[in-house]
Short mmCIF file of all heavy atoms in Angstrom, two decimals:
data_model
loop_
_atom_site.label_atom_id
_atom_site.label_comp_id
_atom_site.label_asym_id
_atom_site.label_seq_id
_atom_site.Cartn_x
_atom_site.Cartn_y
_atom_site.Cartn_z
N ALA A 1260 9.29 11.53 -4.72
CA ALA A 1260 9.83 10.39 -5.40
C ALA A 1260 10.68 10.79 -6.61
O ALA A 1260 10.16 11.57 -7.47
CB ALA A 1260 8.68 9.48 -5.92
N THR A 1261 11.91 10.41 -6.62
CA THR A 1261 12.77 10.79 -7.76
C THR A 1261 13.22 9.59 -8.56
O THR A 1261 13.32 9.57 -9.74
CB THR A 1261 14.04 11.60 -7.31
OG1 THR A 1261 14.60 10.83 -6.17
CG2 THR A 1261 13.68 12.98 -6.92
N SER A 1262 13.53 8.46 -7.82
CA SER A 1262 14.01 7.27 -8.51
C SER A 1262 12.84 6.57 -9.15
O SER A 1262 11.69 6.68 -8.83
CB SER A 1262 14.66 6.34 -7.59
OG SER A 1262 13.69 5.76 -6.70
N ALA A 1263 13.24 5.63 -10.15
CA ALA A 1263 12.19 4.76 -10.73
C ALA A 1263 11.42 3.94 -9.73
O ALA A 1263 10.20 3.92 -9.74
CB ALA A 1263 12.84 3.92 -11.82
N ALA A 1264 12.17 3.36 -8.77
CA ALA A 1264 11.56 2.56 -7.74
C ALA A 1264 10.59 3.39 -6.88
O ALA A 1264 9.50 3.00 -6.66
CB ALA A 1264 12.58 1.95 -6.84
N GLY A 1265 11.08 4.57 -6.44
CA GLY A 1265 10.23 5.44 -5.62
C GLY A 1265 8.90 5.83 -6.39
O GLY A 1265 7.84 5.77 -5.78
N LYS A 1266 9.04 6.16 -7.61
CA LYS A 1266 7.92 6.59 -8.40
C LYS A 1266 6.95 5.44 -8.53
O LYS A 1266 5.70 5.60 -8.39
CB LYS A 1266 8.33 7.04 -9.83
CG LYS A 1266 8.89 8.54 -9.73
CD LYS A 1266 9.24 8.96 -11.12
CE LYS A 1266 9.89 10.41 -10.95
NZ LYS A 1266 10.72 10.81 -12.01
N CYS A 1267 7.39 4.26 -8.82
CA CYS A 1267 6.52 3.04 -8.87
C CYS A 1267 5.88 2.81 -7.60
O CYS A 1267 4.64 2.42 -7.60
CB CYS A 1267 7.42 1.87 -9.25
SG CYS A 1267 7.60 1.52 -10.97
N GLN A 1268 6.59 2.84 -6.53
CA GLN A 1268 5.96 2.61 -5.23
C GLN A 1268 4.92 3.54 -4.85
O GLN A 1268 3.82 3.12 -4.36
CB GLN A 1268 7.09 2.62 -4.12
CG GLN A 1268 8.05 1.40 -4.13
CD GLN A 1268 9.26 1.57 -3.38
OE1 GLN A 1268 9.85 2.65 -3.38
NE2 GLN A 1268 9.61 0.60 -2.62
N VAL A 1269 5.15 4.81 -5.11
CA VAL A 1269 4.05 5.79 -4.82
C VAL A 1269 2.82 5.58 -5.69
O VAL A 1269 1.70 5.68 -5.28
CB VAL A 1269 4.61 7.21 -4.97
CG1 VAL A 1269 3.53 8.24 -4.66
CG2 VAL A 1269 5.75 7.47 -4.06
N GLU A 1270 3.12 5.26 -7.01
CA GLU A 1270 2.08 5.07 -7.91
C GLU A 1270 1.28 3.84 -7.49
O GLU A 1270 -0.05 3.85 -7.60
CB GLU A 1270 2.64 4.78 -9.38
CG GLU A 1270 1.64 4.56 -10.45
CD GLU A 1270 0.70 5.67 -10.79
OE1 GLU A 1270 0.87 6.86 -10.25
OE2 GLU A 1270 -0.34 5.48 -11.46
N LEU A 1271 1.90 2.78 -7.02
CA LEU A 1271 1.18 1.57 -6.58
C LEU A 1271 0.32 1.97 -5.36
O LEU A 1271 -0.89 1.53 -5.27
CB LEU A 1271 2.13 0.50 -6.20
CG LEU A 1271 1.60 -0.84 -5.79
CD1 LEU A 1271 0.72 -1.43 -6.89
CD2 LEU A 1271 2.69 -1.76 -5.38
N ALA A 1272 0.85 2.76 -4.52
CA ALA A 1272 0.12 3.20 -3.33
C ALA A 1272 -1.11 3.99 -3.66
O ALA A 1272 -2.15 3.81 -3.18
CB ALA A 1272 0.99 3.98 -2.31
N MET A 1320 2.00 -2.40 -12.46
CA MET A 1320 2.94 -1.64 -11.61
C MET A 1320 3.71 -2.66 -10.75
O MET A 1320 4.95 -2.50 -10.51
CB MET A 1320 2.12 -0.72 -10.74
CG MET A 1320 2.89 0.50 -10.22
SD MET A 1320 3.93 1.33 -11.37
CE MET A 1320 2.68 2.17 -12.25
N LYS A 1323 6.45 -4.22 -12.69
CA LYS A 1323 7.57 -3.31 -12.87
C LYS A 1323 8.49 -3.25 -11.60
O LYS A 1323 9.67 -3.31 -11.57
CB LYS A 1323 6.95 -1.86 -13.10
CG LYS A 1323 7.64 -1.05 -14.11
CD LYS A 1323 6.82 0.13 -14.45
CE LYS A 1323 7.59 1.35 -15.03
NZ LYS A 1323 6.80 2.40 -15.29
N LEU A 1324 7.79 -3.21 -10.47
CA LEU A 1324 8.43 -3.16 -9.12
C LEU A 1324 9.20 -4.46 -8.92
O LEU A 1324 10.29 -4.37 -8.34
CB LEU A 1324 7.44 -3.00 -8.03
CG LEU A 1324 7.27 -1.50 -7.46
CD1 LEU A 1324 6.23 -1.51 -6.39
CD2 LEU A 1324 8.59 -1.02 -6.94
N ASP A 1325 8.64 -5.54 -9.27
CA ASP A 1325 9.30 -6.85 -9.02
C ASP A 1325 10.67 -6.83 -9.82
O ASP A 1325 11.66 -7.35 -9.20
CB ASP A 1325 8.49 -7.95 -9.62
CG ASP A 1325 7.39 -8.42 -8.67
OD1 ASP A 1325 7.44 -7.88 -7.50
OD2 ASP A 1325 6.52 -9.22 -9.07
N LYS A 1326 10.75 -6.20 -10.94
CA LYS A 1326 12.02 -6.14 -11.74
C LYS A 1326 13.00 -5.32 -10.93
O LYS A 1326 14.11 -5.75 -10.76
CB LYS A 1326 11.66 -5.48 -13.08
CG LYS A 1326 11.36 -6.53 -14.19
CD LYS A 1326 11.48 -5.83 -15.46
CE LYS A 1326 10.80 -6.69 -16.58
NZ LYS A 1326 10.26 -5.91 -17.69
N ILE A 1327 12.55 -4.17 -10.47
CA ILE A 1327 13.42 -3.26 -9.76
C ILE A 1327 13.94 -4.01 -8.46
O ILE A 1327 15.11 -3.92 -8.13
CB ILE A 1327 12.71 -1.97 -9.36
CG1 ILE A 1327 12.34 -1.20 -10.64
CG2 ILE A 1327 13.47 -1.09 -8.41
CD1 ILE A 1327 11.40 -0.06 -10.38
N GLU A 1328 13.06 -4.73 -7.85
CA GLU A 1328 13.40 -5.37 -6.55
C GLU A 1328 14.49 -6.46 -6.80
O GLU A 1328 15.38 -6.63 -5.99
CB GLU A 1328 12.09 -6.03 -6.03
CG GLU A 1328 12.23 -6.68 -4.68
CD GLU A 1328 13.11 -5.84 -3.71
OE1 GLU A 1328 13.13 -4.60 -3.66
OE2 GLU A 1328 13.82 -6.55 -2.97
N THR A 1330 16.85 -6.31 -9.05
CA THR A 1330 18.18 -5.69 -9.06
C THR A 1330 18.62 -5.26 -7.68
O THR A 1330 19.86 -5.44 -7.46
CB THR A 1330 18.03 -4.30 -9.94
OG1 THR A 1330 17.15 -4.57 -11.01
CG2 THR A 1330 19.32 -3.75 -10.34
N ARG A 1331 17.76 -4.77 -6.90
CA ARG A 1331 18.14 -4.46 -5.55
C ARG A 1331 18.68 -5.66 -4.79
O ARG A 1331 19.71 -5.59 -4.12
CB ARG A 1331 16.99 -3.94 -4.73
CG ARG A 1331 16.73 -2.41 -4.99
CD ARG A 1331 15.74 -2.01 -3.95
NE ARG A 1331 15.38 -0.64 -4.13
CZ ARG A 1331 14.34 -0.01 -3.55
NH1 ARG A 1331 13.47 -0.73 -2.80
NH2 ARG A 1331 14.16 1.27 -3.71
N LEU A 1378 13.08 9.65 0.32
CA LEU A 1378 12.15 8.47 0.08
C LEU A 1378 12.98 7.24 -0.16
O LEU A 1378 12.69 6.12 0.21
CB LEU A 1378 11.20 8.72 -1.02
CG LEU A 1378 9.92 9.52 -0.77
CD1 LEU A 1378 8.93 9.37 -1.89
CD2 LEU A 1378 9.30 9.17 0.54
N ASP A 1379 14.03 7.39 -0.94
CA ASP A 1379 14.73 6.19 -1.43
C ASP A 1379 15.98 5.91 -0.44
O ASP A 1379 16.58 6.82 -0.03
CB ASP A 1379 15.34 6.45 -2.82
CG ASP A 1379 14.28 6.70 -3.93
OD1 ASP A 1379 13.41 5.93 -3.89
OD2 ASP A 1379 14.44 7.77 -4.51
N PRO A 1380 16.12 4.61 -0.22
CA PRO A 1380 17.32 4.33 0.68
C PRO A 1380 18.59 4.69 -0.13
O PRO A 1380 18.68 4.35 -1.27
CB PRO A 1380 17.16 2.89 0.93
CG PRO A 1380 16.23 2.29 -0.10
CD PRO A 1380 15.45 3.45 -0.56
N ALA A 1415 3.41 -0.61 -0.28
CA ALA A 1415 4.14 -0.20 -1.46
C ALA A 1415 5.67 -0.02 -1.13
O ALA A 1415 6.58 -0.35 -1.86
CB ALA A 1415 3.57 1.07 -2.13
N PHE A 1416 5.91 0.43 0.09
CA PHE A 1416 7.31 0.67 0.49
C PHE A 1416 7.92 -0.55 1.29
O PHE A 1416 8.98 -0.31 1.86
CB PHE A 1416 7.40 2.02 1.30
CG PHE A 1416 7.45 3.18 0.40
CD1 PHE A 1416 6.34 3.68 -0.15
CD2 PHE A 1416 8.74 3.76 0.08
CE1 PHE A 1416 6.41 4.82 -1.01
CE2 PHE A 1416 8.76 4.85 -0.81
CZ PHE A 1416 7.62 5.36 -1.35
N SER A 1418 9.52 -3.17 0.32
CA SER A 1418 10.81 -3.56 -0.03
C SER A 1418 11.90 -2.57 0.42
O SER A 1418 13.04 -2.93 0.75
CB SER A 1418 10.91 -3.79 -1.61
OG SER A 1418 10.68 -2.61 -2.20
N THR A 1419 11.51 -1.30 0.38
CA THR A 1419 12.44 -0.18 0.86
C THR A 1419 12.71 -0.37 2.37
O THR A 1419 13.78 -0.34 2.82
CB THR A 1419 11.80 1.15 0.61
OG1 THR A 1419 11.65 1.25 -0.77
CG2 THR A 1419 12.64 2.27 1.14
N GLU A 1422 15.08 -3.17 3.48
CA GLU A 1422 16.52 -2.90 3.49
C GLU A 1422 16.94 -2.80 5.02
O GLU A 1422 18.01 -3.23 5.45
CB GLU A 1422 16.84 -1.50 2.90
CG GLU A 1422 16.60 -1.46 1.40
CD GLU A 1422 17.81 -1.85 0.63
OE1 GLU A 1422 18.91 -1.76 1.18
OE2 GLU A 1422 17.61 -2.23 -0.59
#
Side-chain angles (χ1 to χ4, degrees):
T1261 46
S1262 70
K1266 284 182 182 160
C1267 270
Q1268 285 167 315
V1269 180
E1270 179 64 13
L1271 183 61
M1320 202 50 72
K1323 224 168 154 181
L1324 261 178
D1325 280 351
K1326 270 194 197 155
I1327 295 171
E1328 187 38 40
T1330 319
R1331 276 191 181 168
L1378 279 199
D1379 299 309
F1416 276 79
S1418 62
T1419 297
E1422 293 269 339

